[in-house]
Amino acid sequence: MEDDAGVRRFVGKGLREQAYAVDMATTGEEALYQAEINTYDLIILDVMIPAPNGFEVCRRIREAGGRMPILMLTARDAVEDRVSGLDRGADDYLTKPFEFRELLARLRALLRRSAELRPPQLTVGDLVLDTAEQSAMRAGRPIALTHKEYALLEYLVRNAGRVVNRADIAEHVWDETFDPFSNLIEVYINRLRRKIDPDGKAGLLETRRGAGYLLKAETATARAGKTRGPAGSDAKNGLERKKHV
C-alpha cells in the first residue's frame, strides 16, 4: 500500500524475491477493501496513500479488529507524524528513503512478534527449515530450493499433519494474480517431493486424491535455536492465515 508507483514496484518485486506473497493497493479505499476480504500476516502502509491516508487506513483497520502488524512508510520524519501513526495502531515506522535490507529486517522482527510466534527453526522429523536463512535440510543434507519452493515448503511445514488443498496453497503462497486453473501447484509439489524424498521411499509429503496435500507430522516440533549449517527463510505471510504482505 504505497503511493509512489516506483517504490511500490520496487518493494513488491523485492518481497516476492524473498518468498513473500504480495498484494498491492494504490488508494486508501482499495487498501481497506483488501484488508477486509483477506487475512494478512503483515501490512506495509504508506502515510501518503491517496484518500483516506495511511493514518486513517491504519485507524480503521484496527477499529475493525485487524490484529496483523502494520509497518508505516513515510517521507516525513517529524516526531509528530511518527507519534500519530503509532497512536492509530501502527507497530513500526520506516522513513523514506530506506535500505531494502532494513525493511526486510523490520518485517522479520514484526512477524516474530505476531500472534503466532514464528520460531527461527522449524522441524518435522528430520526435515529442518531455518526461517532466517531461507534454506532447508533433510537428515543433515542441504536441499537446494528456489524462493517459491521454499515458501511452499514452509507453508506445508507450518501446517504439518493437516491436509491443505489447492485453494489454501494458492491463497497463502501465491498472490491475487494466481490462475486457479493452472497446474503450477502440482508442478511445485512434484518438485518438492523429488527434493525432500529423493529416494522415493521416505514419503514425507503425501497427495490425498481429491483433498489436497499432507506433510506428515508425527514428530513435528519447532525449535527456538539455530543449528549450524544451511538453513530456511522468514517469509511469509501466514498468514494458517495468509502468508501475505
Side-chain angles (χ1 to χ4, degrees), residues 18-30:
Q18 293 296 315
Y20 290 91
V22 181
D23 291 342
M24 291 188 287
T26 58
T27 68
E29 288 298 340
E30 186 181 353

Side-chain angles (χ1 to χ4, degrees), residues 2-244:
E2 158 67 43
D3 68 319
D4 184 279
V7 174
R8 189 166 59 246
R9 287 192 298 269
F10 167 74
V11 171
K13 181 176 182 293
L15 291 176
R16 290 187 179 103
E17 289 175 351
Q18 293 296 315
Y20 290 91
V22 181
D23 291 342
M24 291 188 287
T26 58
T27 68
E29 288 298 340
E30 186 181 353
L32 288 167
Y33 174 72
Q34 292 277 22
E36 180 180 356
I37 65 173
N38 296 310
T39 305
Y40 293 99
D41 272 341
L42 184 142
I43 290 176
I44 301 172
L45 185 59
D46 192 277
V47 169
M48 299 305 293
I49 194 170
N53 68 21
F55 294 139
E56 178 63 12
V57 170
C58 183
R59 186 191 67 78
R60 285 162 65 174
I61 287 174
R62 294 304 189 216
E63 193 175 70
R67 297 290 178 238
M68 74 291 286
I70 295 177
L71 172 65
M72 302 286 284
L73 297 181
T74 183
R76 303 183 299 188
D77 60 0
V79 172
E80 291 77 9
D81 290 333
R82 296 198 294 273
V83 170
S84 182
L86 294 170
D87 282 347
R88 285 168 171 79
D91 297 277
D92 199 1
Y93 226 98
L94 186 58
T95 302
K96 297 185 288 187
F98 54 83
E99 289 273 350
F100 188 69
R101 60 181 179 174
E102 181 180 1
L103 174 64
L104 290 176
R106 289 176 182 269
L107 296 187
R108 290 193 293 268
L110 288 172
L111 289 171
R112 284 197 297 269
R113 295 182 218 157
S114 61
E116 295 177 21
L117 290 178
R118 298 169 180 271
Q121 190 176 95
L122 302 173
T123 304
V124 176
D126 60 357
L127 175 65
V128 180
L129 273 67
D130 187 310
T131 64
E133 300 289 340
Q134 287 197 345
S135 63
M137 292 190 297
R138 181 82 194 271
R141 177 183 61 84
I143 303 172
L145 298 171
T146 66
H147 287 304
K148 189 59 71 175
E149 287 169 350
Y150 176 82
L152 175 57
L153 182 57
E154 185 184 329
Y155 177 70
L156 292 170
V157 167
R158 290 191 184 279
N159 288 276
R162 181 174 79 86
V163 175
V164 292
N165 59 35
R166 292 184 84 260
D168 293 329
I169 293 172
E171 181 182 6
H172 297 304
V173 181
W174 273 265
D175 57 28
E176 60 186 354
T177 64
F178 179 77
D179 180 0
F181 299 104
S182 165
N183 70 338
L184 199 58
I185 290 175
E186 288 76 13
V187 169
Y188 273 87
I189 287 289
N190 287 333
R191 287 181 186 173
L192 273 185
R193 183 177 285 115
R194 288 195 297 268
K195 290 186 176 184
I196 67 175
D197 291 329
D199 58 5
K201 297 178 181 179
L204 189 63
L205 178 57
E206 292 185 355
T207 298
R208 296 293 178 87
R209 191 174 299 278
Y213 306 97
L214 172 71
L215 193 74
K216 294 179 181 178
E218 289 84 355
T219 58
T221 61
R223 299 176 184 170
K226 272 189 170 180
T227 58
R228 294 188 179 273
S233 149
D234 37 56
K236 343 75 140 234
N237 309 7
L239 283 175
E240 143 269 31
R241 302 163 320 183
K242 193 162 188 169
K243 189 151 179 100
H244 226 138

